Amino acid sequence: MSARDLISGEAELDSQEEDESFDEETGEVRRKSNGVNGVNGRMDDSSEEEDDDDDEEAAAAIRKDFIVEDDEEPEERERRRREKKKRRREEREEEEAGLDEEDLDLIGEANPDFERRAPNEPKLKRLKRGHKEDRDGPRPRGVDNIFDSEEEDEDDYRNQRQSHRADPRNLQDEFADFIEEDFDDRDGAPDDDDADVARPTGRTYTGIKDATGLDEAALEDMKEAFGEGDEYDWALNIQDQEEEGEQGAVDSEDPDAVAKGLELKDVFEPSQLAEKLLTDEDNEIRAVDVPERFQLARKPYKGLVLTDEQFKEEGIWISDLIWNRKGLDSALKEPFRKAVAKILEFMVCDEYEVPFIFQHRKDYLIHSERTPVTPDPSNPGAPDFVISAERLLNQTELWRISELDLKFRALVEKRNALSETYQKLQEIAEFKDSVFEEMLPNAAMMEELQDVQDYLYFQHASRFADLAAINASSTSNGTHRRPGSSKALFERIRNSRVYGLVRAFGITADAFAQNALKEGRRQYTEDPSERPDDLADSEGIMDPPEYTTGVQCLKAAKAMFAEEIFQSPKMRKVMRLAYYEDGVIECFRTDKGLRRIDEHHPYYEFKYLRNQQVRDFAHQPDLFLRMVRAEEEGLVDIKIRMQNAGSFRKKLYSEIESDNFSEIADAWNRERREVLDMALLKLDKLMARGVKENLRSECEDQIANRCREEFSKRLDQAPYKPKGMQLGTVPRVLAISNGSGAFGREPVCWAWVEEDARVLENGKFTDLFLGDPERGQEDGADINSFIKLVERRKPDVIGLSGYSADTRKLYKLLEEIIERKDLRGAAYEDEDGVERSDKLDLVIVNDEVARLYQTSQRAALEHPGFAPLTKYCVGLAKYLQSPLKEYAALSKDVISITLDPAQSYVPQEKIFKYLETALVDMVNLVGVEINDAVSDWYEANLLPYVSGLGPRKAQQLLKVINLNGGAVATRAELVGDADQQRVGAVGPRVWANCASFLYMEFDSSDQDADYLDGTRVHPEDYELGRKMAADALELDEEDIEAETRENGPGAIVRKLVRDDQQEKVNDLILEEYAEQLEKNFNQKKRATLETIRMELQTPYEELRDNFTLLSSEEIFTMFTGETRDSLYEGMVVPVSIKKVGEDFIEARMDCGIEGTVPATEISNRPDIPPRQLFQQFQTVQAKVMYLNRKTLAAGFSLREEDLRNPTRKEHDRMPGDWDDAQERADKESMKEKNDVSGRTQRVIKHPLFKPFNSAQAQEFLGSQARGDVVIRPSSKGVDHLAVTWKVSDNIYQHIDVLELDKSNQFSSGGTLKIGGKYSYSDLDELIVNHVKAMAKKVDEMMLHEKYQNGSKAETERWLSTYTEANPKRSVYAFCIDPKHPGYFLLCFKAGQHAQLQSWPVKVVPQGFELQKSQYADMRALCNGFKILFTTMQGGKRR
């Protein structure tokens, strides 16, 4: 933005405010004045005055026949010419910006209240005016003026308004005009708003000091921040030159000379460039000829180059990690290692992505062997051997290798860094550390490397201090990091005489760890000749002044020896192996968990879980992740310990103790055991933490992989196949849905979508039901419309879905309409060539993508006028036509789809990374028609998932193709063609990755078209395909040469296709081809040859499975949101009574499933009619007696004995896995607390009443909308009720309601009081006038422009950033207070150096309460805050 943007020619009319204001004193409506800016109505625009002076001088010179003499200086002529062009440009801009007479007439016709400006009115009309007090001259403004109107804040924040110098002596005037209501300007004094909008039209800065009211320093700051306003002079000069005919040719060697130095980063914010993938880093990714996904993944290790030895080590390292899970025969271990090494070579050296390797290097994933067979005399032509093949690696494991490659790079990078550090230490001091040199090369995991690093920093702390001092002295600042206090303590011990007592223990920490690890020859412990306490008291050990007593010396020595054992990499390895082999995990509830986790809570499954093996969680990763989530919520504590810790400790004792038998030896052994205990205490904590983190990461990987597998199944389905058509044919779809509406009462929306995804028709059915001829009931009015629609459009399938259980009723209705009206689909020819048609298909469609599509930006752009439910129908139709394209179009929103119940416990970034690999696999299996992708963005959504490409390279590919003419004829064109002047869209390496997955339809009329360009055959194998075609046609060398010379390289394959002889390739013996290729060229091509044979017959054949219809269980979950774990027979659930009959009750669950309560299940008192016990719309607890998941029907029981004995979900547990004693003790404790509180279970006849406690109410409202309410029993007694309502996500307010005028203790009170201040006659009035009223105020607050959707810390950070960018301004904002539900925080900062402050704002039914004052709306609240702050500041200054 230039400074020219700060100064405009004339004010625009305000389109948001009327030209009238309301006088609060008189109640009179009065017209606003049209005063101009400046003092006393005069214009304060120095630049326009100078322009006018120039014009007057020019006119006077003409009148006097003034002629410029020839001897005038060229610089002077050039200056005058520029001024002349400048004035013309200013006049042109002024003319374009202004409203001409016709514009004003049109405004007058559209708005009868609009008044035309009188001819004698000043040129500038006021833009907007707030409430201001009468004053003379410009109003002073200062740093405290944050609390101005929203418009001023916004404009000033964008640097589009001008500021005025502050007068610190008059704070009242400074804040007087920040009230937003309109008031009279009684003395006709001009407004400062008017002064703000009075800006010169020209780009000159003459007089800008006067116009802005800034002093010299402030003006310089403004120019430095916003420039001189001449950034776009080059464009204006070009325009002037064009008008004067002076435009010259642009220098061909410098085409960007006009916009020299102007880059995207100079115009757009960094966040905008990053969002559009236009940063310098993005451009570098586009330019580098390396697959995009490789560049992004290997970015942290960009400078790392593996040596040959490291590369071999990597192959062994990865194969060992994968082999343990394969379950292959041990004889295949060596071939498996070779296969992994070869895959790494393809990935690292050749930079081939997984899809390329899986498609074009399949033979390296398979191990084949020839097994001789006994000759068969009856079949002399039989082969002498049989080939047995075993797949070594699948596609998922290829992605695993790619991921492990990154982990190995991180391992090598850290190992290299440690080795370099060790060498630097050796440079400053000659030493050798055998432990470090032994352990570093053998560290195979990051934890082991961390152990080595910790050891190095501990063992050589003094050398690190010297190294830091040397590095510090070589720099100018001379600072270095001080070592930690604990390391300094141990270093002092190591350098003191006390360390002699450490040596006296008779064995080093490394030797002890070697014994424990069972490596090498056993190291024996030697006993000194003195007892430990005697030796500690000797003069050779005590080291005054720090260590003056033997007790101090012995304590320090033991701590030092224990730390050495703790820091030993070998000892940590011993402990780590022991924990993974014999570690057990146990779960202990916290005090918070005792109350929150009841028997119906999902965490109850592990509330008292004990003695679970670490390795067992590999089979139930979701359980451990839920335990971790519960621990994060403070409900449980996860403890990890060794199962046989006692025996393990005894074994370690034997490895550190001496074998001598004496009083001295016993004394030293006691000290050694104490030292080991000290070390084990720290090691246990370290190991438990490490095991927990590793197990969590492993469980997350397993869940993410399960999501990938499920997502792959959903991607692996072709478009819905119309009857009589080939697999892959796109159907014409009529999609229909009732959404979440009640069946029969809400309209049903539909959309007709052609096979090319165009929506040609849509509408609604409001009267769609079948009549009953026997009863004389006619069909609904829309039945005939529906039939005509089907007969007119002839759909291949009707797609149906919705998000309520009532959708099942719509399905049954449509099924009956199709049957009774004999509706049929499109006609087709059967195998005998006879035309026929079948009953119209009706399919319930998976709507997970359609739910996201209906509210997406994509749907808004494609169908801006459609209702959300109609867009939902369009999404259903498109899913039937291509599930793959719909999932690909979601981009990162794909993580919103639920693929696994435990998905929410895994970081979204990890989930997306795994799902992206599934998309890459499927897109490359299907391929992308590149010319369709150029012209259709829907197809182009697949390009980022093509092998070698990504979002950036896909953009570049399309851009270059359009630059080359908008079409691709051959795959070779993608790398460029100098003869045809075509720019390369990708580099050779990326082209090698993506070429076979980008295809173009074969055009037989084009002599240059290559049939193989439309197949899965890679260009590197075209010669093999042509040779196979020639052999199939039985052509000799001369025929091949002549055909190729005449019609090009692809002539042979074109001849095979033209003669319709493709089936002849099935007669070829591919084994011999493969043997020759491997023998002569060392290339394994057996699987590739098979692919070529298939592609020559059917290019890019549809390899996906048929469209998958939903199972009954999936439909049940989609319509109700329930699963087998969340809803099952025997559960007690709340139901709402729909109808009470003589001998039955109809009820409905919250999920929409309806059911009946037979007479025998209503109560134990058959003599009492149901209507006396229950009422319509009453919410009661019911037990689910049966549940039909297919028809979405249920049966309930209301009998008390059934409600008291719900069916509990059984868990298979081994003895010792559950702490029954603790469970019984907790139940007794909770029962006693409940008995003491005297809480009585109440039932209130109200649809919002739930028999919940506070935790259950919050859990129930978690998925509800903001403002939803639950009425529940209160713990304060029978004369109280509790009302819980959802303020915002994870924020709930609990309101205590006192009941008065009760007829009995179980009835609801006739008067309901809240806080002793609000009274209501019944619950409905309380809900509407209290809770809903506050919910509206919460919405008003959260939709206000001053509201920040973040925490208090984030809001304060925003305020600080704002004031740093605008040092002389102040700012305020609102944010929610999660610690106090029903409250917001008003945070403000009155200037850059002012202190951050916050005031609580309470939401009340009538509005908002601030500082004990109530305000009706947000506008009044903002104004009230400004007045309060001004008053407080004024008091402080006095």
Side-chain angles (χ1 to χ4, degrees), residues 801-1074:
S801 197
Y803 21 95
S804 72
D806 280 356
T807 306
R808 183 77 191 185
K809 299 177 182 178
L810 178 60
Y811 175 81
K812 298 301 292 183
L813 172 65
L814 294 177
E815 197 175 43
E816 190 175 357
I817 292 174
I818 293 172
E819 183 66 30
R820 285 171 54 176
K821 305 299 181 181
D822 194 26
L823 299 181
R824 297 185 170 270
Y828 64 94
E829 290 187 358
D830 60 14
E831 297 177 354
D832 299 328
V834 179
E835 186 175 288
R836 56 175 297 179
S837 64
D838 296 328
K839 285 280 179 65
L840 185 58
D841 286 346
L842 177 63
V843 175
I844 296 179
V845 187
N846 187 342
D847 71 338
E848 59 190 9
V849 178
R851 294 193 188 201
L852 297 173
Y853 175 80
Q854 66 175 336
T855 57
S856 67
Q857 185 66 24
R858 179 165 66 103
L861 292 174
E862 291 177 348
H863 311 292
F866 285 12
L869 189 55
T870 305
K871 295 176 186 176
Y872 173 81
C873 292
V874 173
L876 296 176
K878 288 188 174 184
Y879 187 86
L880 279 167
Q881 292 177 338
S882 179
L884 175 62
K885 289 182 181 179
E886 281 299 290
Y887 284 117
L890 290 177
S891 187
K892 289 193 175 182
D893 289 339
V894 72
I895 58 176
S896 301
I897 295 174
T898 301
L899 300 163
D900 189 273
Q903 179 178 334
S904 60
Y905 304 125
V906 183
Q908 291 186 346
E909 297 79 11
K910 181 174 286 189
I911 292 289
F912 179 74
K913 184 179 72 172
Y914 275 78
L915 299 187
E916 185 183 28
T917 62
L919 269 168
V920 170
D921 289 345
M922 196 52 58
V923 168
N924 289 279
L925 175 69
V926 176
V928 179
E929 213 293 344
I930 185 62
N931 290 313
D932 287 348
V934 172
S935 59
D936 182 8
W937 69 266
Y938 191 44
E939 183 85 12
N941 286 329
L942 302 177
L943 283 177
Y945 304 104
V946 170
S947 177
L949 302 183
R952 300 159 187 82
K953 288 189 178 293
Q955 288 178 354
Q956 181 74 2
L957 176 68
L958 295 176
K959 181 179 178 181
V960 174
I961 291 175
N962 282 307
L963 185 67
N964 289 336
V968 180
T970 65
R971 284 171 171 164
E973 288 181 9
L974 295 174
V975 287
D977 190 337
D979 296 336
Q980 298 184 13
Q981 296 183 346
R982 291 184 177 271
V983 181
V986 292
R989 186 158 291 180
V990 173
W991 180 81
N993 271 279
C994 70
S996 64
F997 307 112
L998 302 176
Y999 67 93
M1000 50 283 306
E1001 293 292 340
F1002 174 65
D1003 184 2
S1004 58
S1005 62
D1006 185 359
Q1007 291 298 317
D1008 295 329
D1010 195 327
Y1011 179 84
L1012 295 176
D1013 280 340
T1015 67
R1016 290 186 173 91
V1017 181
H1018 194 278
E1020 70 178 9
D1021 298 320
Y1022 277 9
E1023 288 303 320
L1024 291 177
R1026 291 161 184 164
K1027 182 173 183 357
M1028 289 174 63
D1031 290 348
L1033 293 172
E1034 300 180 356
L1035 299 178
D1036 54 26
E1037 293 294 333
E1038 291 79 6
D1039 294 336
I1040 296 173
E1041 183 178 355
E1043 187 73 25
T1044 303
R1045 187 171 54 250
E1046 181 178 353
N1047 298 315
I1052 303 300
V1053 179
R1054 280 203 302 272
K1055 177 177 175 59
L1056 180 75
V1057 176
R1058 185 176 62 248
D1059 297 345
D1060 198 18
Q1061 301 292 316
Q1062 293 100 313
E1063 291 186 359
K1064 286 189 175 183
V1065 296
N1066 292 326
D1067 299 332
L1068 300 176
I1069 303 175
L1070 300 182
E1071 286 296 336
E1072 296 179 2
Y1073 279 111

